[in-house]
Amino acid sequence: MNIPLIDLKRQMKALEKELTPKVLEVLYDTSYIMGKNVLSFEKEFAAYIGAEHAVSVANGTEGLVLALKALGIGQGDEVITTPFTFFATAESIAQVGAVPVFVDVKRDSFNMDPAKIEEKITDRTKAILPVHIFGTCADMDSICAVAKKHGLLVIEDACQAAGASYKGKKAGSMGDIGVFSFFPTKNLGGAGDGGMLVTHDESLAVRMKAYRMHGSGENGQRAYNDIHGIQEEVKADTSKDNTVYNPLKYYNYLIGHNSRLDEIQAAILRVKLPRLDEWNDRRRALAKRYNDALEDVLTVPRYKTDEGAIYHLYIVQSEERDKMTKKLGEKGIATGVYYPVPLHLQKAFGDLGYRKGDLPVGEYLSERTFALPMFPEMTEEEQDYIIESVRA
Ligand SMILES: Cc1ncc(COP(=O)(O)O)c(C=O)c1O
């Protein structure tokens, strides 16, 4: 039996009757940039997360950069984050000229250890950037408490956590800004790149809207005034179809980006969003089956915040990872190593001066963790085959 780590074809097949006409509709409508699907999807996503504002962007990495910029983080500032994550988390910090400061993680949740944050705070620290890794929320109560005590901002990297929750609150809704990715393999994935920023703060939403579109137009002007403390009435754009010709587009107030969510992606994501909870429930049920069947042979993910985890990836730990993944591969079962190099030891961050041994838990995990197949459409028969093979 051949079982991939994630099978996007099955989801496509199940949704093809709905997706195909939506995509064609966009093609014939021709409002390809910031069209009605993008605007509606932003509203629907904000309502789903329980945030006041949602600002769509081109991808999660750009989302992180725009979030940092909107919060005024730049050259020389320090941002505390985790080493056990995808590169983009810390890359975005470096992109804005700030310095990522890594705090070790916890063995059970793979998430930032809040007890280790305070010792890393300096007078240059501006923010904490926790990641809800693999779809399990970081310990947000403790992280937000440290942030509040030291007057720091909180950016949640919820790129792997669309629909995850922590004590009843959705991932992305607990910090100053939450950042999501719609990379195709994510629990809510498009047919290409995509991302979203959420916040309860209107002025941050305006800044992010300005930065995603060349710092131009009404949002550019509002953001400029806000940043410079200028009190002035900003005239709304009254042009009827601003996708064809919007004169305000050519007035630029800030140095921004071109980072918009594609209209076709928005149309696709609008079909998928109403199914997200059901898919996440299915992932949780599969994770429970894996846990119950494998806990005596592997270290399985038994998170404290279990109920809210959405198992973007199902990660186990083994002393014999290489042997295990090789044998599983021979049986047709795909596995993946997340993450083989903790970020503080990545070559790209060599000039930060970290050494092996500095963050022992992240390093320990990077030698033992790997993912078993996990996607909502996986059958129990397939899962039983994986379980049998792992046990063998
Ligand atoms: C934790 C984390 N942060 C950031 C990103 C970046 O998202 P994107 O690939 O959409 O740029 C990803 C995803 O790939 C991620 O997993």
Side-chain angles (χ1 to χ4, degrees):
M1 202 184 290
N2 279 324
I3 309 173
L5 205 50
I6 166 166
D7 187 347
L8 292 178
K9 288 202 171 75
R10 293 187 209 180
Q11 193 188 72
M12 176 57 209
K13 198 85 204 125
L15 297 180
E16 72 183 328
K17 287 204 173 67
E18 266 182 86
L19 286 176
T20 312
K22 295 280 181 209
V23 170
L24 286 175
E25 207 178 288
V26 175
L27 284 178
Y28 285 102
D29 186 60
T30 74
S31 297
Y32 300 136
I33 303 292
M34 298 304 291
K36 59 177 192 278
N37 281 294
V38 167
L39 302 177
S40 298
F41 181 54
E42 286 180 342
K43 289 202 184 94
E44 290 155 10
F45 195 79
Y48 175 77
I49 297 297
E52 288 292 313
H53 308 275
V55 179
S56 58
V57 288
N59 54 65
T61 309
E62 279 281 291
L64 287 162
V65 171
L66 266 54
L68 290 157
K69 279 193 163 186
L71 291 167
I73 293 164
Q75 207 63 42
D77 293 334
E78 290 177 0
V79 178
I80 291 175
T81 193
T82 156
F84 201 64
T85 176
F86 179 58
F87 186 64
T89 307
E91 183 184 33
S92 63
I93 297 168
Q95 277 287 353
V96 301
V99 179
V101 175
F102 297 107
V103 160
D104 213 352
V105 293
K106 294 176 86 164
R107 257 194 210 190
D108 57 349
S109 68
F110 312 124
N111 275 319
M112 181 186 280
D113 187 344
K116 297 185 178 148
I117 296 175
E118 260 182 328
E119 67 202 51
K120 301 275 178 149
I121 295 174
T122 70
D123 53 9
R124 293 198 291 175
T125 310
K126 287 279 156 35
I128 307 176
L129 205 170
V131 180
H132 305 311
I133 200 73
F134 309 134
T136 300
C137 283
D139 181 355
M140 290 305 287
D141 278 355
S142 308
I143 291 169
C144 291
V146 180
K148 197 166 171 208
K149 183 172 162 198
H150 294 272
L152 304 175
L153 299 156
V154 176
I155 302 163
E156 295 174 68
D157 181 338
C159 284
Q160 299 187 3
S165 61
Y166 171 86
K167 300 186 181 175
K169 291 182 199 145
K170 282 262 160 60
S173 69
M174 295 169 273
D176 293 281
I177 298 175
V179 185
F180 294 86
S181 163
F182 304 126
F183 185 84
T185 56
K186 296 289 194 268
N187 293 32
L188 178 62
D193 280 309
M196 189 74 87
L197 295 158
V198 298
T199 182
H200 303 295
D201 181 322
E202 193 186 353
S203 68
L204 286 178
V206 169
R207 287 187 193 190
M208 296 188 298
K209 284 179 186 171
Y211 281 127
R212 82 170 158 195
M213 215 144 91
H214 308 290
S216 67
E218 212 181 300
N219 288 315
Q221 197 176 353
R222 283 186 205 281
Y224 178 90
N225 288 355
D226 174 33
I227 290 165
H228 295 93
I230 299 167
Q231 307 281 334
E232 173 194 55
E233 202 202 325
V234 176
K235 283 212 173 70
D237 173 17
T238 51
S239 64
K240 285 210 173 57
D241 185 355
N242 67 14
T243 57
V244 178
Y245 179 67
N246 173 3
L248 288 184
K249 203 166 135 182
Y250 303 104
Y251 289 79
N252 302 79
Y253 300 87
L254 298 166
I255 303 297
H257 295 232
N258 176 8
S259 183
R260 296 170 293 229
L261 180 67
D262 191 87
E263 179 72 1
I264 290 183
Q265 300 309 331
I268 291 170
L269 292 162
R270 290 186 74 197
V271 171
K272 294 190 181 186
L273 180 62
R275 272 127 173 144
L276 180 59
D277 284 344
E278 194 188 309
W279 289 335
N280 285 342
D281 284 347
R282 172 71 182 154
R283 284 172 184 267
R284 273 192 281 266
L286 289 168
K288 186 172 182 318
R289 279 189 99 235
Y290 266 146
N291 280 355
D292 293 346
L294 295 176
E295 66 183 342
D296 59 331
V297 290
L298 288 170
T299 304
V300 297
R302 291 249 187 235
Y303 307 124
K304 273 216 193 88
T305 47
D306 231 354
E307 340 66 66
I310 53 155
Y311 297 91
H312 166 57
L313 292 168
Y314 180 80
I315 301 288
V316 292
Q317 299 174 48
S318 167
E319 297 286 349
E320 295 180 286
R321 178 173 73 190
D322 292 349
K323 213 162 135 192
M324 181 84 86
T325 52
K326 187 165 172 278
K327 289 267 178 201
L328 289 172
E330 284 163 13
K331 285 175 172 278
I333 299 166
T335 54
V337 172
Y338 300 88
Y339 290 96
V341 184
L343 297 192
H344 66 291
L345 299 180
Q346 289 282 5
K347 280 244 165 67
F349 288 125
D351 57 355
L352 296 180
Y354 287 89
R355 298 233 181 93
K356 204 164 168 42
D358 284 348
L359 302 169
V361 183
E363 292 166 27
Y364 168 91
L365 291 173
S366 70
E367 284 166 10
R368 296 164 51 104
T369 48
F370 69 98
L372 290 176
M374 168 59 80
F375 49 97
E377 300 80 8
M378 183 161 66
T379 64
E380 293 184 359
E381 191 195 352
E382 284 172 318
Q383 193 181 32
D384 288 342
Y385 175 70
I386 299 166
I387 289 166
E388 266 165 45
S389 305
V390 169
R391 295 194 66 85

